Amino acid sequence: MSTANQPVQGMSDIAAPEVRLWQRLEQLARETLELYGFEELRTPVVEFEAVFTRSLGETTDVVQKEMYVFEKGGRRLCLRPEGTAGVMRHAAGLGAQETDGARWYYVGPMFRSERPQAGRRRQFHQCGVECLEPPSPRVDAEILALQVDLLRAWGLGDCEVRLNTRGESGGQAAVAAGLRAALAAREAELCDDCRRRIAENVLRVLDCKNAGCQAIVATLPPPTDFMSAASREYLAQTAAHLDALGVKARIDPLLVRGLDYYEHTVWEIASSALGAQNAVAGGGRYRMQIGGRELVGVGFAVGLERVVGVLQALGRDRDLIAPPPPLVWLVGLGDAALDGNLALMQRLRAAKIACRMATGGSMKSQMRAANKSGAAFAVIRGDDELAQGVAALKDMATGEQVTLPLDRLAPELAARTGAGR
Ligand code: HAM
């Protein structure tokens, strides 16, 4: 396999026309997120490895198996596998005044060295938000409602929202102990990974894909049984607020999410239009120790490749792709006309008319180039037109051609292409 003409496995180029869909999704996201008071935050793609290892959890798949880590100048660096920890690293460097209640969003590439398959990439893109407001079922419901609003703005149609709680962070050890005790009698029946997980991070047993483990998990008491009444009440209130907002969410007592920084509310959103990798988005409330500070917030991230996949499966991608502005192709016969066209293009662009030209060649080859580019109009000039201060304007679809004085050209093209409107 040649490495000179293809991207790294699991990473893709995004070219036209699909890139126009991406641009539109990003534009719709910015519009929606601003309605909720979010500002964009752009953090680096490369971070210190430690930013993620502690906050995501040493025993998570992302940290144990999927990080792209490298050493440079004696420091352990990595490509960010997700957005939350980098945003919190940014917040940890600010004063409480600037971080309390901050609402940030991000759109960009993330990197996880997973086995590539449909919907699972090694470089993928997330659109995410982080809202640094203290625990409150009202805020959590608002952010989940924003998530649903965003998916609706993109035209995603019906998605299933699963909701659960990880309980308050102070009570998570009790939940783990309760689950360990409940699993003790069945330990020998679990897969090798899960036997290890019991000691390392027992919650991970709950989302094991092994059928035997799933059957055992189905018999366990739900983790909420080991939580405080306050934690259960927090979930009930969040669910009630969502109900009042008209957001349909199903409580799934086994939903734990794959990252360790969560407390209280967690959720995942899936689309039946996707295959095995059907999670479109995930989020929740979290608590993180970073840079000597403890930060709390609630947020989510949507996988943009998955959103594109759903839109394609539903046949809705084309509705969102705006065509490029109509192109005008300038044809020049002879050096004087070509030189003149170079200057004319700048005048047309000043009038917001998109245009291009060939740098030479016969009339036939220049018209062929115009056709190939999909130009809507051709403007043709030779020595005669140059001498008379006129240009021939040809409609490429109808073949109709008119001759116009040069100073009429920009207003005529603006009227015909709708430029500047
Ligand atoms: P996550 O569930 O790991 O959460 O990722 C969020 C979304 O990113 C997934 O639902 C999926 O759509 C997409 N995604 C993840 N991995 C891949 C992949 N290999 N290929 C394609 N898409 C993928 C987080 O990352 C948390 N930071 C979300 C969050 C923000 N929680 C609170 N704030």
Side-chain angles (χ1 to χ4, degrees):
M1 191 174 71
S2 165
T3 53
N5 63 359
Q6 37 196 334
V8 172
Q9 199 192 9
M11 309 197 181
S12 315
D13 304 317
I14 307 172
E18 191 184 297
V19 74
R20 293 193 153 264
L21 174 62
W22 285 74
Q23 291 163 349
R24 181 77 182 129
L25 293 176
E26 287 168 18
Q27 182 196 5
L28 288 166
R30 290 175 208 285
E31 284 170 19
T32 306
L33 295 167
E34 280 169 9
L35 293 177
Y36 287 78
F38 282 83
E39 287 276 11
E40 185 173 6
L41 176 65
R42 299 188 186 196
T43 62
V45 165
V46 174
E47 297 270 5
F48 293 116
E49 182 192 18
V51 168
F52 299 98
T53 37
R54 272 199 59 205
S55 53
L56 271 58
E58 307 267 1
T59 59
T60 56
D61 278 357
V62 175
V63 168
Q64 273 189 345
K65 305 182 196 160
E66 297 168 4
M67 297 250 283
Y68 283 92
V69 181
F70 55 98
E71 228 174 85
K72 195 86 191 161
R75 312 297 302 253
R76 301 265 302 169
L77 307 177
C78 69
L79 300 181
R80 61 181 185 192
E82 58 105 57
T84 312
V87 171
M88 292 307 117
R89 191 262 314 134
H90 170 80
L94 301 173
Q97 287 271 15
E98 292 156 289
T99 54
D100 287 355
R103 289 188 162 199
W104 285 305
Y105 76 86
Y106 48 88
V107 183
M110 308 293 162
F111 302 83
R112 296 184 192 175
S113 167
E114 300 187 74
R115 200 152 51 80
Q117 52 176 269
R120 194 197 275 167
R121 315 293 300 155
R122 291 182 169 169
Q123 174 175 330
F124 59 99
H125 297 76
Q126 286 186 344
C127 170
V129 312
E130 309 301 343
C131 163
L132 276 70
E133 287 173 52
S136 151
R138 263 185 224 105
V139 178
D140 295 8
E142 182 197 358
I143 299 304
L144 180 42
L146 155 61
Q147 158 108 81
V148 170
D149 216 6
L150 183 58
L151 300 181
R152 196 175 301 132
W154 285 332
L156 239 61
D158 283 342
C159 288
E160 196 204 17
V161 183
R162 288 182 300 136
L163 177 72
N164 196 21
T165 178
R166 290 281 299 266
E168 56 204 350
S169 55
Q172 287 177 352
V175 174
L179 286 174
R180 252 184 239 120
L183 276 168
R186 313 289 302 267
E187 189 173 339
E189 300 163 64
L190 294 170
C191 73
D192 292 349
D193 278 344
C194 282
R195 281 205 299 276
R196 185 174 41 79
R197 286 173 183 139
I198 288 185
E200 259 181 12
N201 192 341
V202 67
L203 277 184
R204 294 276 93 77
V205 175
L206 302 191
D207 48 24
C208 180
K209 299 288 174 284
N210 180 298
C213 297
Q214 281 180 355
I216 294 170
V217 165
T219 66
L220 295 179
T224 39
D225 279 14
F226 308 111
M227 289 177 196
S228 66
S231 292
R232 287 199 297 267
E233 177 57 20
Y234 191 107
L235 174 65
Q237 282 184 25
T238 307
H241 288 307
L242 286 168
D243 216 35
L245 292 172
V247 174
K248 285 198 192 69
R250 179 173 67 80
I251 292 187
D252 176 352
L254 294 181
L255 175 70
V256 290
R257 306 262 308 126
L259 306 165
D260 283 350
Y261 49 55
Y262 291 110
E263 66 166 357
H264 287 301
T265 318
V266 284
W267 68 83
E268 242 167 58
I269 302 193
S271 168
S272 55
L274 292 176
Q277 302 302 320
N278 64 358
V280 174
R285 174 161 283 285
Y286 48 84
R287 182 176 298 270
M288 233 180 251
Q289 318 290 334
I290 195 159
R293 283 183 65 186
E294 181 175 77
L295 292 162
V296 295
V298 55
F300 63 75
V302 191
L304 290 174
E305 279 77 3
R306 308 249 170 113
V307 170
V308 168
V310 175
L311 292 171
Q312 286 169 342
L314 297 175
R316 292 195 188 145
D317 51 325
R318 262 152 288 149
D319 303 346
L320 285 169
I321 300 180
L327 185 70
V328 178
W329 195 274
L330 273 60
V331 175
L333 304 171
D335 279 340
L338 288 166
D339 290 349
N341 281 352
L342 188 61
L344 180 56
M345 281 199 301
Q346 293 308 79
R347 280 165 56 192
L348 294 179
R349 288 173 184 147
K352 305 279 179 239
I353 294 159
C355 51
R356 284 187 58 185
M357 64 183 272
T359 52
S362 66
M363 168 90 167
K364 202 166 153 199
S365 75
Q366 291 190 45
M367 286 306 285
R368 207 181 305 126
N371 260 320
K372 191 170 159 227
S373 74
F377 297 97
V379 169
I380 306 158
R381 296 201 295 168
D383 289 342
D384 289 352
E385 285 81 5
L386 223 51
Q388 293 165 32
V390 297
L393 170 61
K394 180 171 181 172
D395 183 320
M396 299 292 283
T398 64
E400 175 223 359
Q401 189 166 316
V402 290
T403 299
L404 292 170
L406 210 54
D407 56 2
R408 287 275 313 120
L409 192 61
E412 179 66 23
L413 279 170
R416 292 201 194 194
T417 60
R421 236 183 267 147

